[in-house]
Each structure stands twice: as structure tokens, then as C-alpha cells.
Amino acid sequence: MTHHIAFLGEPGSYSDLACRRAVPDYAAVPCPSFEDVIAAVHEGKADLAMLPIENSIAGRVADVHYLLPNSGLSIVAEHYQPVVHHLLGLPGSKLEDIRIVHSHVQALGQCRQWLRDHGIKSVVRSNTALAAAELSQTIKDPTIGVIASEVAGEIYGLNSLAADIADRKNNTTRFLVLTKSCNVPQAYDSPCITTLLFRVRSVPAALYKALGGFATNGVNITKLESYLVDGQFTAAQFYVDVEGNPVDTSLKNALEELAFFAHEVKIMGTYPASPFRNT
């Protein structure tokens, strides 16, 4: 029986490459939006979802942060995907011919200075691989290029006019792998990460008190993101990654203390830490 994993974009996108690398035995299912990726799992079209959560240059993927709380999915793994951006053009095009590039907003942001240095304007598209497909199949303009992966160029018959054009090297995107199954904490033989969400009111020392239990119990917080919810400025929701497992005494005690000062505490998943964290 073939298993499937849903991702955003078209074949050749960085999410597709993440699927190929993380779960090579799974058939990848392309989806036009993050909402469709989540729906594919709920509707039985896919067993897993691959969602980007943050990039080492551009920061968090805001849409995913907003969708996670009500996604109905649990995190079962993380994957760090190296991102090597190529400027792709039609066969025969040269770098000096390119006046405009199409790509996803994250890719454009990661290459902002390079594009500025070369006097190239940018146009936002829904994803990198779709931009490559459109250039190859419908636009066919030699003055237009796309920023996408080298694999996308191979799939859609485009040439690489410049390689590794991100403004900073070691460009990496962290992905989360999710499933519909309830993630009941279990023991792991290797270090693991627990992702949780909680809310606090916008009052003095609310966050300090909420996070105090992690410090007193020796639990390391590796990521903390905040964002407003429900269109209000009076409360904030926090996304937190911590080292450890809720079955461990230290994290169990920290979560009990968190519950005194925060509300709507929700564990999104406990999963093995990627070896990339040690590089």
C-alpha cells in the first residue's frame, strides 16, 4: 500500500524536495494552498502533511503559524531542508537579459539584495515551482526569470542562469511533518522536541510568569514566537518549542506551572529532534 504526503506547490518546489528527502517512500501530493495541504490529510488523500514553519533568512512562515492551532493535526517529525535558489530562464536567455523575476514572496525576500544589485524587479507568485511552470508553458518571455530550485528547472525545461543567489549562505527552511493521529507522548531513545501553544493576557509580567516554570525546571526553550489573535490587541498567542518530552519529570512539572499563568495550553506534538540541530 502506497502512503502519501501533501505539500504546498508544484513538483520541484522546495516543499516537494523536503518530502523527497524526509520520506522518500511516500508519494508526494501537490496542493495549491496550506489549507488544502491540511484538508488533504483530513480527507484521506494523504497520510502526512509537510508544512514550512520558518526559514533561516526570512523568519517564520506566518500563514502556517496561524493555521496550526485549529488544523486538527499533530506534529510527528521535523525536517531541515537546504534551500539553494537558482535564477532560471528560458533556453537561450542570459542573465543580462532578465528584467523581472517571478517567485514566492519568501524566495524573493531571501534574494532581495542580489536582485537589487542586478537591477531586477520582482513579481510575487504563489510558489516557486508554479512560477517556473508558468514561464515555461505560458509566459515564454526571455526577459522574465524565476527564482526556484535547480530541480524545478530540470522539470520545466529552464536553464540556470545563476546559482546560489540567496543573500546569505546556509539558507535553510525548517519543515514540520504532521498527521491526523493524536500524538500521545511516548518515550524516545534520542533527544526530542515538544511544540506547544498557549495564550496570555496582555498584562505586566504575564509572559514572565508563564515561562518561569521552564527555567526553574531546567527546560531549554529553543523557539518562542508571539502573534495577536482574533484581531485583538489585548491577548497574544505563543508558539513554543522546548527540548524534552512531557513524560519527563522536568517538562511535566514545567507544563503544570505554565497552566497556572496561561490558558488554552495545547501540545501540538512531541517528536525526535532532527540531527541538523547539532550541526
Side-chain angles (χ1 to χ4, degrees):
M1 177 174 138
T2 302
H3 294 288
H4 297 80
I5 182 168
F7 69 94
L8 172 69
E10 301 293 329
S13 69
Y14 291 106
S15 291
D16 179 29
L17 299 185
C19 292
R20 298 185 191 196
R21 183 72 62 85
V23 284
D25 296 334
Y26 280 60
V29 179
C31 298
S33 70
F34 289 131
E35 290 89 345
D36 290 316
V37 173
I38 294 169
V41 177
H42 286 294
E43 295 169 2
K45 298 176 183 177
D47 305 279
L48 301 173
M50 178 71 76
L51 293 175
I53 190 69
E54 60 184 322
N55 176 267
S56 58
I57 297 176
R60 73 182 183 187
V61 182
D63 288 348
V64 173
H65 277 272
Y66 282 104
L67 289 171
L68 275 180
N70 299 312
S71 67
L73 302 181
S74 298
I75 305 168
V76 293
E78 63 176 354
H79 172 71
Y80 288 81
Q81 178 64 38
V83 176
V84 181
H85 288 311
H86 286 247
L87 175 66
L88 305 177
L90 292 168
S93 292
K94 299 178 181 178
L95 174 58
E96 54 266 29
D97 298 329
I98 304 301
R99 297 290 177 266
I100 299 173
V101 295
H102 294 188
S103 195
H104 186 270
V105 63
Q106 290 270 338
L108 294 172
Q110 293 161 21
C111 304
R112 182 179 293 108
Q113 189 59 50
W114 189 93
L115 293 173
R116 184 178 179 84
D117 291 343
H118 288 80
I120 300 174
K121 297 181 179 179
S122 61
V123 174
V124 174
R125 307 301 297 166
S126 60
N127 64 77
T128 57
L130 178 61
E134 290 176 339
L135 176 60
S136 174
Q137 299 166 6
T138 59
I139 299 176
K140 299 182 179 180
D141 185 336
T143 68
I144 294 178
V146 299
I147 295 175
S149 69
E150 186 176 24
V151 171
E154 295 170 355
I155 292 173
Y156 301 109
L158 301 175
N159 292 340
S160 176
L161 307 181
D164 199 10
I165 64 173
D167 294 333
R168 294 184 225 164
K169 303 308 176 185
N170 301 317
N171 186 6
T172 305
T173 297
R174 179 182 177 229
F175 287 84
L176 299 178
V177 181
L178 303 97
T179 185
K180 188 167 60 174
S181 302
C182 180
N183 185 32
V184 178
Q186 56 181 300
Y188 290 100
D189 294 331
S190 58
C192 60
I193 301 296
T194 293
T195 295
L196 56 112
L197 303 169
F198 66 87
R199 296 189 186 191
V200 297
R201 289 191 58 78
S202 183
V203 296
L207 181 60
Y208 173 81
K209 294 175 181 177
L211 298 180
F214 295 102
T216 56
N217 287 283
V219 176
N220 186 35
I221 297 175
T222 62
K223 181 177 177 62
L224 175 65
E225 290 276 358
S226 67
Y227 44 102
L228 299 177
V229 292
D230 301 329
Q232 301 179 14
F233 291 92
T234 57
Q237 180 159 275
F238 291 86
Y239 168 104
V240 183
D241 288 334
V242 300
E243 293 178 349
N245 191 317
V247 301
D248 300 335
T249 300
S250 56
L251 182 51
K252 181 180 179 181
N253 291 340
L255 292 174
E256 289 177 354
E257 290 191 43
L258 173 64
F260 281 109
F261 303 104
H263 58 101
E264 297 185 40
V265 178
K266 183 176 184 179
I267 295 178
M268 292 298 302
T270 298
Y271 45 94
S274 168
F276 182 88
R277 289 176 175 270
N278 298 320
T279 61

